[in-house]
Amino acid sequence: MDYKATIQLPKTGFSQKANLAQKEPEILIKWEKMGIYKLIEQTRGEQGKYILHDGPPYANGHIHMGHALNKIIKDIINKAKFMAGYEINYIPGWDCHGLPIEHEVDKTLGAKKKGLFPLEIRKRCREYAEKFVQIQRDEFKRLGVFGDWENPYLTMSFDYQASIVREFGKFVEKDSIYRRKKPIQWCFTCRTALAEAEVEYKDHTSPSIYVKFSLTSDISEVLPVLKKEKNISVIIWTTTPWTIPGNLAICVHPDLVYVAVKTKGEVFIMAEGLFKRTMETLGVNDYEVLTTFPGTTLEKLRCRHPFIERDSVLILGGHVTLDTGTGCVHTAPGHGQEDYDVGLTYGLDIYSPVDNEGKFTEDVEFFNGQNVFRANKAVVQKLKETGALLKEEEIVHSYPHCWRCKEPIIFRATEQWFVAMDKNGFRDKALDEVKRVTWIPYWGEDRIYGMVENRPDWCISRQRSWGIPIAVFYCTSCRHPLAKKDIIDKIADRFACEGADAWFARSAEELIPPGITCPMCGGSTFEKETDILDVWFDSGVSWAAVMEGREGVAIPVDLYLEGSDQHRGWFHSALLTGVMTRAKAPYKTVLTHGFVVDGEGKKMSKTLGNVIHPNDVINKFGAEVLRLWVAAEDYREDIRISPEIIQRLSEAYRRFRNTCRFLLGNLDGFNPDRDSVSYNELEEIDRWALHKLQHILSRVIDAYESFEFHKVFYTIHNFCVLDLSAFYLDVLKDRLYCEKTDSRLRRSAQTVLYEILIALTKLFAPVLPFTTEEIWGFLPPKKGGQEKSVHLSRFPSVNPKYIDVELADRWEQLLNIRGEVNQVLEAARRKRDIGSSLEAEVVISGRGKHFELLRDYEVFLPTLFIVSQVSLEEADVVQEDKELEVKVRNASGEKCERCWNYHHSVGENPHHPTICERCLTVLAG
RNA sequence: GGGCCUAUAGCUCAGUUGGUUAGAGCGCACGCCUGAUAAGCGUGAGGUCGAUAGUUCAAAUCUAUCUAGGCCCA
């Protein structure tokens, strides 16, 4: 007789091979047809709403691993929150304006750009952004991310553009916007401002000059040693002589030591650490150090400008270094970033007498009308004439050049718009809000606090085309800027219909309401501002443009979640806009993740050749494995990815898949409504499994709650490997395969397997949406039906009835003994005494607590150890540290052909001489 | 150069308020099984806890410095 046909081996249509790269797109189509996101969105949550507000990626290029990481984390959270009973609503967004897109368009246009109106450039930028929104949307959807992909928010949509302008109007209303000069990088050949990304550094030959500024203050008040000295000067060094006319100050470091050096009747002041080198350069060998003193001594003393009727004041700045020069830094606040910063601190004028074309204005005596670079020579000549020039050389150094015309560029102060950080207690309010928000990890609070605390006023203007115009006008006659909230709101209304292009398409008269006159001069004609807003303002107000006004959604929203670079970026601009216009941060919690780095912890870059693209992983392993990677890594730090890591995870994936497949296979024919065994009727090991399941259930749900997905992964994985595969399921095989199909024993096991499978499937659904959905389709049908998708179901809750701590304690001890038995079995296997553990009889001798426990379970022990027989012998054990002694000998009796256990009853029945009495009973029915 | 962060087996992670011999899974090695089979089971070998110095009876854990790396500034 073929006894194999009489046992119930696992049977399921759920394939062992995942074939994810092919299967995932099919599941995506199924979801699409089902309209799954709409179904989720429409489901009311008994726990209330949970709103994760998407941070908009920039609509440029394909998605990279960082994008994938970010969106997958968000998706895990959304799915888990829904399953935990919340109502969710996820609107993905894109950041569409800004320089990188305009720059790309510029590149394709090349020289043609000059002749194009902003409107035409904007049209091309919009097309460019639209293209990448589509591309990225498809790439995000492929990852299995659920959201309202048909109605995402775009910062360039008309209503969003209108929102930006309205929020800007609120800033104006609060009187926090002002105009001030600020040095920016300027190409006078192209007559345009340049952003950092448009600047190329290459070698350039510049003059290198040493200049003395004679001291006019009486330094002997602070340094009596110099009382007798008359001819004292401060020595500066610069490579841009043309900025000397813009000199307003000389900056020294407060913590550096300075010296007064006497030579040929005059005294030079410079940093101690640089004076020897400098004197050598100047060719002065004969000198004497009169005194040394800290930089602070010099503060507020005054020098005379070498050729302009003006003083140059001595100030302190931390940016002064001993790398080059003299330690006394020529400071022209209109011509350099650091000069500007320190100039602001000392209330200096941001003086920049240079026009669009790089020529000195008529403000500048001697050189007006001259190009600044050509004026270098004239300035040097002038310094020579006045005797201020100590040395002139040439130097080759790295210098910024324009990306388009390749000519060297200059720093030039122009009028810019700013948000005042310290007016009306704005900064302090923002800092208070920082403290009220929950930052995960906690150190995010320190990070952003420090940034807000120390940041300068927010420069919100850009000299660009692709963005939202700063909706102010200038009086044609007196240049007074007209910035009024009611006018701005009117502009916003127009943008809502026509888009921000209206600003460029229409004249000032069309845009400005009739009857407006200049409050300064009464003039009635105006010009439009040509600057646009910083794109951080665009995305910063997304909470207002996207979230506010939605039914049931109010700020602060529950969660913002981005990379840790956004402390400076989006979290920051959202905080400032929220606090300014609504007096609160727009989020309750901010979660940050680290950056994706390679297997060695190095950042991914083309030059290092260590870049892994999401598509590489998806095509080879499936998006599911990428998602598992996101879940398995602790994303609060940098996240490593390498072929090995992905390989490991795809193996872990297979383990989960196989475990579920085994569960499904053993539930073949099981009808939960008809066949379930009540808790009290369950076998004890089955109750143990239920207890364990409750444990992981609460652990996993807690881990989702605290956004610790790697705990989700390890908890489930370890449960599958240790508790299920290596123990429970292995032990269960005999019962499942060999007992009668509908016996209580077998149904008891299946009842629990069913519970476990449902729980595992649901618990892992946020991480592995495709696979769990596939499993969902193979579940034994239940009365009343399951939800159409696992993603429409809710997490199971912990059932207190299933928790039995005493039972768990006993089983913990039994499992420890099982471990010892395994060691002895393995030793016997090495000696070739046995192969399969069923060939063994285990003999345990000893006495005491554990031995008594074994006595209680004597009948069950062969099952527990998966051996054919177990004998217990009460005896004193010789070994000191052991209470029990385990021995193994060959099982007695014959091997049952059906269940493979060895038993003395095999051979006793003449009709079935090769099977044991248990199997005989089963077959007898 | 400054601010914030990270460093535990080949890989991914645990390691409570300092307290026995630093844990787990994977991978690896060796074996078993062939009724989860491109599966399953068992056993085992892997770590100077980035380095150095200190505090302490006692340090992976606290302090300082350094090294390597990440983000943001300059």
Side-chain angles (χ1 to χ4, degrees):
Chain A
M1 184 170 176
D2 179 16
Y3 292 110
K4 184 162 175 169
T6 71
I7 63 173
Q8 295 95 5
L9 291 174
K11 194 178 141 199
T12 174
F14 182 74
S15 66
Q16 181 167 51
K17 196 162 185 299
N19 209 357
L20 289 168
Q22 184 205 319
K23 212 173 287 171
E24 285 169 352
E26 292 167 12
I27 296 172
L28 285 168
I29 290 168
K30 183 188 144 191
W31 283 333
E32 191 92 22
K33 282 190 185 144
M34 198 192 286
I36 190 141
Y37 174 71
K38 279 286 164 225
L39 294 174
I40 288 172
E41 195 194 54
Q42 286 158 9
T43 306
R44 293 261 171 251
E46 57 271 24
Q47 304 288 334
K49 289 192 188 232
Y50 190 87
I51 303 296
L52 192 177
H53 178 42
D54 189 39
Y58 196 67
N60 184 14
H62 290 258
I63 67 165
H64 55 64
M65 211 46 105
H67 289 117
L69 171 80
N70 176 260
K71 279 289 197 288
I72 290 171
I73 295 174
K74 286 170 176 168
D75 189 53
I76 292 174
I77 290 174
N78 275 325
K79 287 190 166 101
K81 282 292 174 189
F82 176 83
M83 295 185 79
Y86 290 90
E87 185 175 333
I88 63 151
N89 182 310
Y90 180 64
I91 303 147
W94 274 276
D95 196 3
C96 305
H97 295 132
L99 178 91
I101 288 174
E102 189 173 345
H103 189 60
E104 287 302 315
V105 168
D106 277 8
K107 277 204 275 192
T108 56
L109 286 172
K112 278 191 291 181
K113 188 190 175 182
K114 276 199 168 173
L116 286 182
F117 291 110
L119 219 44
E120 295 171 72
I121 293 166
R122 288 171 60 88
K123 183 165 170 275
R124 283 162 208 252
C125 289
R126 178 174 291 274
E127 286 164 2
Y128 184 95
E130 267 164 3
K131 175 183 154 193
F132 280 104
V133 166
Q134 304 300 326
I135 287 172
Q136 294 191 357
R137 180 175 65 179
D138 290 345
E139 289 170 336
F140 286 140
K141 284 169 83 171
R142 178 64 186 82
L143 298 172
V145 176
F146 287 176
D148 198 354
W149 294 109
E150 305 319 307
N151 305 291
Y153 75 87
L154 307 180
T155 59
M156 66 178 180
S157 70
F158 291 179
D159 53 346
Y160 195 114
Q161 290 184 327
S163 290
I164 296 168
V165 174
R166 270 192 206 99
E167 295 308 313
F168 174 72
K170 296 194 174 96
F171 273 68
V172 169
E173 187 183 27
K174 302 269 178 187
D175 202 19
S176 75
I177 305 288
Y178 71 93
R179 231 159 100 84
R180 182 176 71 198
K181 278 189 176 172
K182 177 181 191 281
I184 54 172
Q185 306 196 82
W186 185 270
C187 175
F188 53 74
T189 314
C190 304
R191 295 184 202 177
T192 179
L194 295 177
E196 193 53 52
E198 295 176 311
V199 171
E200 296 171 355
Y201 287 82
K202 48 184 189 182
D203 280 350
H204 179 72
T205 305
S206 299
S208 161
I209 58 168
Y210 289 82
V211 182
K212 60 181 180 187
F213 279 60
S214 34
L215 206 59
T216 54
S217 303
D218 183 6
I219 196 172
S220 64
E221 283 176 20
V222 281
L223 287 173
V225 209
L226 300 178
K227 189 138 189 106
K228 281 181 271 174
E229 307 301 332
K230 286 207 175 96
N231 212 349
I232 306 174
S233 33
V234 177
I235 313 303
I236 65 100
W237 170 77
T238 182
T239 58
T240 50
W242 65 267
T243 60
I244 295 281
N247 175 286
L248 294 180
I250 295 169
C251 193
V252 298
H253 198 290
D255 302 329
L256 287 178
V257 176
Y258 285 79
V259 290
V261 189
K262 186 165 187 179
T263 172
K264 293 174 191 156
E266 37 181 347
V267 176
F268 294 165
I269 289 173
M270 53 194 118
E272 185 186 38
L274 284 162
F275 89 92
K276 281 182 186 154
R277 205 198 302 171
T278 305
M279 293 306 253
E280 199 174 309
T281 310
L282 299 180
V284 182
N285 304 317
D286 187 19
Y287 56 82
E288 175 197 355
V289 175
L290 297 179
T291 181
T292 63
F293 50 90
T296 45
T297 311
L298 296 169
E299 191 181 17
K300 299 211 171 124
L301 296 176
R302 304 182 85 81
C303 293
R304 194 63 177 167
H305 192 284
F307 54 78
I308 294 170
E309 296 289 310
R310 189 171 70 211
D311 276 354
S312 182
V313 64
L314 280 153
I315 58 177
L316 304 177
H319 63 283
V320 177
T321 67
L322 293 178
D323 297 343
T324 48
T326 63
C328 304
V329 176
H330 152 57
T331 299
H335 294 304
Q337 183 62 44
E338 286 162 333
D339 299 29
Y340 165 78
D341 291 336
V342 73
L344 283 184
T345 314
Y346 281 88
L348 303 176
D349 185 17
I350 309 305
Y351 182 56
S352 179
V354 176
D355 69 12
N356 274 350
E357 297 169 43
K359 291 177 179 156
F360 282 113
T361 63
E362 53 197 33
D363 203 42
V364 182
E365 215 182 331
F366 314 120
F367 316 115
N368 81 69
Q370 287 192 39
N371 170 281
V372 292
F373 283 136
R374 290 207 197 99
N376 266 340
K377 275 207 169 97
V379 172
V380 171
Q381 183 57 35
K382 190 78 196 166
L383 290 168
K384 235 180 237 170
E385 286 167 20
T386 58
L389 188 74
L390 291 174
K391 176 83 183 177
E392 183 193 4
E393 295 178 316
E394 280 196 339
I395 184 176
V396 178
H397 61 158
S398 173
Y399 190 85
H401 291 69
C402 172
W403 70 278
R404 195 184 292 123
C405 69
K406 313 297 180 195
E407 294 295 324
I409 61 169
I410 59 170
F411 264 97
R412 170 178 175 255
T414 57
E415 294 283 338
Q416 303 290 338
W417 288 96
F418 291 88
V419 172
M421 288 301 299
D422 293 304
K423 199 166 178 180
N424 302 323
F426 177 50
R427 189 192 304 272
D428 292 337
K429 263 188 251 169
L431 290 172
D432 284 348
E433 282 300 298
V434 165
K435 287 191 234 162
R436 287 181 41 183
V437 170
T438 303
W439 302 90
I440 305 171
Y442 66 91
W443 48 258
E445 179 173 335
D446 290 342
R447 192 169 151 99
I448 194 167
Y449 192 95
M451 287 172 176
V452 174
E453 193 177 26
N454 296 315
R455 67 157 301 146
D457 285 354
W458 181 6
C459 179
I460 54 169
S461 50
R462 297 289 184 275
Q463 293 69 52
R464 283 285 151 188
S465 301
W466 182 225
I468 298 303
I470 293 178
V472 300
F473 297 88
Y474 296 97
C475 172
T476 322
S477 41
C478 77
R479 306 305 303 163
H480 177 72
L482 186 68
K484 285 256 181 302
K485 181 171 184 292
D486 48 350
I487 299 176
I488 291 168
D489 283 344
K490 288 270 188 319
I491 304 285
D493 293 342
R494 190 182 280 277
F495 284 10
C497 305
E498 303 173 20
D501 281 352
W503 187 263
F504 302 88
R506 296 183 178 274
S507 66
E509 292 88 74
E510 288 176 275
L511 290 166
I512 209 162
I516 301 286
T517 52
C518 173
M520 298 301 278
C521 73
S524 58
T525 55
F526 297 92
E527 284 168 26
K528 295 175 288 185
E529 169 64 273
T530 56
D531 287 0
I532 61 167
L533 278 168
D534 177 12
V535 286
W536 286 115
F537 196 97
D538 293 24
S539 58
V541 300
S542 63
W543 51 268
V546 183
M547 287 291 133
E548 239 181 21
R550 277 185 179 254
E551 198 187 334
V553 178
I555 68 149
V557 299
D558 292 288
L559 187 67
Y560 270 42
L561 193 175
E562 307 298 330
S564 58
D565 55 334
Q566 299 303 330
H567 286 118
R568 165 70 57 184
W570 192 51
F571 303 147
H572 197 110
S573 61
L575 173 77
L576 296 187
T577 54
V579 171
M580 177 65 76
T581 63
R582 308 294 192 283
K584 59 185 166 192
Y587 34 68
K588 289 181 195 152
T589 300
V590 175
L591 184 60
T592 54
H593 57 250
F595 275 68
V596 182
V597 294
D598 72 6
E600 262 75 58
K602 298 241 166 68
K603 85 160 103 183
M604 299 202 291
S605 73
K606 275 184 197 153
T607 43
L608 280 174
N610 57 356
V611 181
I612 298 178
H613 293 285
N615 262 337
D616 301 343
V617 181
I618 292 170
N619 295 335
K620 200 168 167 200
F621 298 94
E624 206 80 310
V625 173
L626 198 60
R627 295 182 65 105
L628 197 60
W629 165 72
V630 170
E633 305 256 339
D634 185 350
Y635 59 79
R636 289 166 295 196
E637 299 162 17
D638 289 331
I639 307 111
R640 295 185 181 209
I641 193 165
S642 67
E644 185 187 357
I645 291 169
I646 292 296
Q647 185 63 39
R648 291 292 95 87
L649 285 162
S650 86
E651 282 156 12
Y653 169 83
R654 288 215 309 267
R655 185 52 167 241
F656 175 74
R657 187 178 179 92
N658 274 330
T659 304
C660 291
R661 180 165 184 265
F662 184 76
L663 294 173
L664 280 171
N666 286 104
L667 287 168
D668 182 50
F670 178 74
N671 178 333
D673 300 307
R674 181 193 64 199
D675 301 326
S676 286
V677 174
S678 70
Y679 182 74
N680 295 330
E681 300 284 304
L682 292 177
E683 286 293 290
E684 188 169 327
I685 189 175
D686 298 334
R687 293 208 302 273
W688 170 86
L690 272 186
H691 172 91
K692 271 280 175 193
L693 180 65
Q694 305 315 300
H695 185 66
I696 71 134
L697 208 55
S698 78
R699 267 189 68 110
V700 169
I701 288 169
D702 286 354
Y704 275 123
E705 184 75 35
S706 54
F707 310 118
E708 294 173 295
F709 310 130
H710 62 288
K711 284 192 187 160
V712 171
F713 170 72
Y714 287 106
T715 304
I716 292 177
H717 186 247
N718 278 356
F719 182 64
C720 286
V721 171
L722 294 174
D723 297 320
L724 293 184
S725 204
F727 175 56
Y728 184 58
L729 299 182
D730 209 24
V731 166
L732 236 43
K733 282 173 192 165
D734 180 81
R735 191 155 29 121
L736 289 164
Y737 297 173
C738 302
E739 294 295 340
K740 198 162 167 291
T741 311
D742 59 353
S743 60
R744 184 197 58 85
L745 280 174
R746 190 158 175 277
R747 294 308 191 197
S748 171
Q750 287 179 313
T751 301
V752 173
L753 294 187
Y754 179 75
E755 287 266 339
I756 290 172
L757 179 59
I758 294 271
L760 279 182
T761 309
K762 288 183 172 185
L763 287 178
F764 229 7
V767 174
L768 300 181
F770 296 102
T771 305
T772 51
E773 188 75 326
E774 197 188 345
I775 295 167
W776 198 252
F778 285 97
L779 288 178
K782 203 172 181 326
K783 200 165 59 187
Q786 299 279 8
E787 291 84 355
K788 272 195 281 185
S789 158
V790 66
H791 304 297
L792 292 166
S793 74
R794 306 287 196 181
F795 285 143
S797 45
V798 173
N799 187 341
K801 257 182 26 196
Y802 295 167
I803 296 175
D804 187 337
V805 180
E806 285 172 32
L807 177 143
D809 277 355
R810 285 198 301 276
W811 280 74
E812 174 127 21
Q813 295 171 49
L814 289 172
L815 280 167
N816 284 337
I817 296 167
R818 188 176 190 261
E820 289 177 42
V821 170
N822 272 335
Q823 283 179 25
V824 182
L825 285 171
E826 183 63 21
R829 209 172 272 134
R830 303 242 165 213
K831 283 195 285 178
R832 302 268 160 204
D833 289 344
I834 59 164
S836 160
S837 57
L838 285 175
E839 290 166 30
E841 176 187 357
V842 168
V843 184
I844 303 179
S845 46
R847 65 172 41 131
K849 211 174 70 195
H850 288 119
F851 191 78
E852 293 311 314
L853 181 71
L854 291 176
R855 276 245 188 270
D856 294 342
Y857 284 85
E858 189 158 6
V859 186
F860 175 69
L861 293 180
T863 308
L864 178 69
F865 301 145
I866 316 184
V867 295
S868 285
Q869 291 123 22
V870 175
S871 318
L872 297 178
E873 294 173 357
E874 185 155 358
D876 291 320
V877 172
V878 199
Q879 281 172 287
E880 305 154 11
D881 54 339
K882 279 196 168 174
E883 198 182 309
L884 300 174
E885 186 177 36
V886 183
K887 284 187 188 134
V888 163
R889 59 185 177 225
N890 286 98
S892 57
E894 294 296 315
K895 178 178 177 179
C896 168
E897 194 189 330
R898 185 168 176 276
C899 72
W900 296 352
N901 281 276
Y902 284 71
H903 201 266
H904 59 80
S905 60
V906 177
E908 283 173 2
N909 186 299
H911 302 293
H912 297 284
T914 60
I915 64 171
C916 68
E917 58 186 10
R918 187 267 307 255
C919 288
L920 215 51
T921 320
V922 170
L923 288 184

